[in-house]
Amino acid sequence: MKATNLITLATLTVLTLNVSAKDFSSEELQQRMLERRAVEAVIWGMPIVSLDALRQAYFRDGNAKYGDIIWWPKGASWKNQSLTPNTSVRYLYVFFNTKDDGPVVLDLPPAANGASFLGTIADAWQVPLTDVGFEGNGGKYLVLPPDYTGEVPAGYIPVRSKTYNTFTGIRSILASNSEEDEQKGDALVKQIKIYPLAKAGNPPAQRFMGMTDIMYDGLVHYDESIYTSLARMLNEEPVQPQDLQMMGILLPLGIEKGKDFKPDAATVAQLNSAAAEAHAWLLAQVPTFVMNWWPSSQWKVPISAIAVQTGFKWTVANYFDIDSRGIGFSTFFLPPAKLGKGSFYLGANFDSSGQPLRGENTYRLHVPANVPVSQFWAVTIYNTETSALFLNLTRPTLDSLDKGMRQNADGSVDIYFGPKAPAGQESNWIYTPAEKSWFPWFRFYGPEKSLFDKSWKMPDIEMVKQ
């Protein structure tokens, strides 16, 4: 009797589904298919679209061209609207294009006078190709075009890319925030040279574009512009073998290699809706895109296990993890080739009671003494909706380089977050906008043994009453 009822129920369900599907016109079915594919296109294309957002800002806001260095000599402020930047370091961004210029040289000087570099070279899909500056090392890195078969001259470190566009992000790290150390860091930065290998005999003067107090909008906007960016980048780059199927899935959207992308008004409306849905899905997944670090802690490594296991290549024996890649690159950019090599990050999406962090509440983070770093530590907060710095927030970071930050008698530090500083704690307080969700990243520069053997542990962020 029970089996008969189950069969009857299953049959009715199938009939209902069939009737529902038949209720759609052929035009409606086509629209539904287009919207589903448009959502998937955002998730799949996130790394290359995010890189293009940085590149377009480099051209537009930085007034730069390929090979120029845009940088923040006074440290990044909220006006650097990149994904999860750190305001404690001075960023340098540079884009190469080997299709036009052929092999390109990045001549990076070694550390000197307490100033050093730490960075990564990545391809257009943000696959990290190599880290640079680790342990104070310099070198002449030669970025090669796809399928390059020529010889690599002696004295160069070859960096083989599968794409023509590459991006290099470098942190200029100072010994302290003093004016003297800043000048030493500036002098080291000005020694960097970028030029085509063809001009190695007489390199052109390096152009540096200062970004202090300039709005740099390097964020993806979740509207039809995503698809314009995706079409542009796919036209510029070779199709990777693993992407052939996806290139076919994109055809109904009007995205096809070698052709202009010209959606009509009706399609634009559908693309706007799909981009918003993709954004909502990505935001919902972010809290799960983590790895545990300390037992029973809300502090997590803000990446998935597959990212670490594959060196941010996302490929295992039986599948290519498009979802994890999309989630990751909706929250960060330019991952390192080797995690923990020169820096290490932890993030938190919840307080000690498991509740999301909210701007209208006041919280305390107790940072125990002897943070395991050889350089410095920093904690920075971000807008959950954008994974960027809150607009107009003048101090989104507190770090161990800050001489004004108060330490406790045992060397520990208490940091407060909230819409108003607790009495007497202004120097140790980061403002959070009310009615906004936020999350912190705690960065360890020059991470040391007790972090990785977990003998040093940091408590969760706890809400306090004002």
Side-chain angles (χ1 to χ4, degrees):
M1 185 66 177
K2 290 182 178 179
T4 302
N5 289 340
L6 287 173
I7 292 171
T8 301
L9 180 61
T11 302
L12 289 172
T13 301
V14 170
L15 289 173
T16 301
L17 289 172
N18 285 340
V19 170
S20 298
K22 289 178 181 177
D23 288 344
F24 294 114
S25 67
S26 60
E27 182 181 61
E28 289 170 332
L29 288 169
Q30 179 68 14
Q31 290 176 345
R32 288 165 64 85
M33 182 271 290
L34 187 148
E35 288 176 359
R36 288 193 298 270
R37 292 195 177 184
V39 170
E40 293 301 320
V42 173
I43 298 166
W44 172 76
M46 187 51 57
I48 203 166
V49 169
S50 177
L51 183 120
D52 189 43
L54 292 166
R55 187 181 66 148
Q56 296 305 318
Y58 172 86
F59 295 145
R60 179 191 63 245
D61 304 329
N63 196 28
K65 60 184 181 180
Y66 285 121
D68 291 343
I69 295 173
I70 69 169
W71 74 306
W72 285 261
K74 298 298 182 182
S77 72
W78 66 267
K79 291 186 177 181
N80 180 353
Q81 286 291 294
S82 305
L83 293 171
T84 52
N86 178 15
T87 61
S88 298
V89 297
R90 293 120 52 88
Y91 284 103
L92 295 83
Y93 294 174
V94 59
F95 283 86
F96 307 156
N97 191 314
T98 56
K99 187 170 187 177
D100 297 331
D101 296 330
V104 176
V105 178
L106 165 64
D107 188 348
L108 190 75
N113 300 316
S116 61
F117 297 120
L118 183 64
T120 300
I121 304 173
D123 71 12
W125 287 96
Q126 298 200 57
V127 174
L129 304 176
T130 187
D131 296 323
V132 300
F134 179 62
E135 293 184 341
N137 292 318
K140 290 185 177 181
Y141 297 87
L142 184 61
V143 180
L144 302 170
D147 302 321
Y148 180 79
T149 57
E151 292 186 3
V152 175
Y156 292 90
I157 302 167
V159 180
R160 300 187 181 276
S161 174
K162 294 182 179 180
T163 63
Y164 294 109
N165 282 286
T166 64
F167 174 58
T168 301
I170 299 172
R171 307 173 192 88
S172 166
I173 299 174
L174 306 178
S176 76
N177 288 333
S178 71
E179 184 177 347
E180 181 182 0
D181 283 332
E182 185 177 302
Q183 291 173 353
K184 291 176 180 177
D186 292 350
L188 194 65
V189 166
K190 292 304 176 72
Q191 294 179 43
I192 300 174
K193 296 182 178 63
I194 296 162
Y195 51 86
L197 180 63
K199 298 182 179 180
N202 186 25
Q206 183 61 51
R207 294 208 326 159
F208 293 89
M209 321 297 284
M211 297 299 293
T212 301
D213 293 329
I214 294 175
M215 188 68 178
Y216 178 85
D217 183 4
L219 300 178
V220 171
H221 296 271
Y222 288 86
D223 53 30
E224 81 281 359
S225 64
I226 288 181
Y227 305 94
T228 300
S229 172
L230 182 59
R232 174 170 53 234
M233 292 302 290
L234 294 177
N235 268 332
E236 291 185 27
E237 298 296 350
V239 177
Q240 305 301 318
Q242 71 267 20
D243 294 332
L244 285 171
Q245 184 175 7
M246 190 65 194
M247 295 297 289
I249 289 174
L250 293 174
L251 293 177
L253 305 182
I255 297 175
E256 183 175 0
K257 188 169 177 63
K259 294 186 178 180
D260 292 337
F261 177 60
K262 296 180 178 179
D264 58 25
T267 302
V268 166
Q270 288 179 288
L271 295 178
N272 278 326
S273 176
E277 182 177 336
H279 188 208
W281 183 86
L282 290 166
L283 285 174
Q285 308 313 306
V286 169
T288 68
F289 185 79
V290 295
M291 292 191 303
N292 291 328
W293 189 245
W294 296 301
S296 304
S297 173
Q298 297 294 354
W299 288 104
K300 313 285 185 181
V301 182
I303 52 175
S304 66
I306 194 171
V308 178
Q309 293 164 3
T310 65
F312 296 94
K313 295 180 176 64
W314 313 100
T315 302
V316 292
N318 297 317
Y319 63 92
F320 182 85
D321 198 341
I322 291 171
D323 286 350
S324 288
R325 186 181 71 169
I327 297 163
F329 286 111
S330 71
T331 62
F332 59 72
F333 71 101
L334 196 66
K338 292 187 178 180
L339 188 69
K341 193 174 181 181
S343 62
F344 190 79
Y345 304 170
L346 292 172
N349 292 297
F350 307 100
D351 67 14
S352 58
S353 64
Q355 296 301 307
L357 298 164
R358 297 286 303 171
E360 59 268 22
N361 298 329
T362 300
Y363 302 90
R364 183 184 68 156
L365 170 62
H366 180 73
V367 182
N370 303 314
V371 179
V373 292
S374 61
Q375 294 176 311
F376 69 97
W377 59 261
V379 60
T380 304
I381 69 163
Y382 304 100
N383 184 338
T384 299
E385 186 174 350
T386 64
S387 290
L389 299 170
F390 282 105
L391 299 179
N392 300 307
L393 183 57
T394 57
R395 190 172 69 163
T397 299
L398 282 173
D399 60 46
S400 57
L401 298 175
D402 186 347
K403 301 303 182 184
M405 188 170 58
R406 293 173 52 186
Q407 287 191 2
N408 300 321
D410 64 354
S412 64
V413 174
D414 291 315
I415 295 175
Y416 293 87
F417 310 90
K420 183 179 179 181
Q425 298 295 339
E426 288 79 7
S427 62
N428 289 36
W429 165 69
I430 296 177
Y431 170 80
T432 59
E435 307 304 322
K436 295 286 187 179
S437 293
W438 61 275
F439 68 92
W441 275 13
F442 196 100
R443 290 172 165 91
F444 303 80
Y445 283 100
E448 295 180 329
K449 182 176 180 293
S450 62
L451 174 64
F452 297 110
D453 67 20
K454 302 180 184 177
S455 57
W456 184 90
K457 181 180 178 180
M458 185 166 59
D460 290 335
I461 295 172
E462 59 180 3
M463 190 164 69
V464 296
K465 292 183 179 180
Q466 275 279 67

